[in-house]
Amino acid sequence: MEQKQNEINIIQASRENSNAAILKADAAGVAQYWMDDIIVISGEGGQYAGKKLLLEVFTEMFEDHPPVFERIPTTITIGDSGILAWETGEWNYKTEKFRGNYSAMWRKVKGKWLTQSELFVSLD
């Protein structure tokens, strides 16, 4: 049980660091937590496959008028294998009126937790 809590704490810290990178418009700082084959479905249903493409999207997004948004986990569950984790919570923009719920799949790769997929649903 203590080991699972340690893993939860690591994922929580990674999410906090990712949110901090967004606040600084640091695309590479956000991308350090992504697997190479990450899949993201945005709040309105846009689909993005691969770290390279998503990094381009974030870099371009941060260049013009950088949005400030955050993901706030409500639940992080470590799978029995210790390799997969599920995160769910709420997301919201500080610079726009967008908000909603999200879920993320994390995978432990060579001892490091990375995001394999994220699904965002806009509720505004």
Side-chain angles (χ1 to χ4, degrees):
M1 192 64 141
E2 186 176 324
Q3 178 60 31
K4 282 191 177 185
Q5 187 57 53
N6 289 339
E7 301 296 323
I8 289 169
N9 292 344
I10 291 167
I11 292 172
Q12 177 73 41
S14 296
R15 182 57 74 205
E16 289 171 6
N17 291 338
S18 177
N19 285 338
I22 290 168
L23 187 61
K24 294 186 286 189
D26 176 7
V30 180
Q32 72 179 312
Y33 300 102
W34 299 337
M35 291 185 62
D36 288 341
D37 63 350
I38 187 171
I39 295 174
V40 174
I41 310 241
S42 68
E44 283 73 37
Q47 300 174 23
Y48 304 92
K51 183 176 183 174
K52 183 180 178 186
L53 171 64
L54 201 55
L55 184 56
E56 290 172 8
V57 169
F58 267 69
T59 300
E60 190 174 296
M61 179 174 63
F62 287 155
E63 283 177 356
D64 296 330
H65 295 89
V68 176
F69 62 93
E70 64 182 348
R71 284 82 30 98
I72 304 164
T74 54
T75 303
I76 298 173
T77 305
I78 306 298
D80 291 341
S81 68
I83 297 171
L84 295 176
W86 177 60
E87 171 191 0
T88 188
E90 299 175 359
W91 62 270
N92 64 72
Y93 276 74
K94 302 295 184 187
T95 52
E96 305 285 340
K97 292 186 178 183
F98 304 120
R99 65 172 189 83
N101 291 341
Y102 77 95
S103 288
M105 176 184 185
W106 291 79
R107 181 177 295 273
K108 196 170 190 182
V109 178
K110 297 180 182 175
K112 182 176 180 181
W113 285 103
L114 298 171
T115 309
Q116 184 164 7
S117 61
E118 290 182 316
L119 166 66
F120 295 87
V121 178
S122 183
L123 297 175
D124 43 44

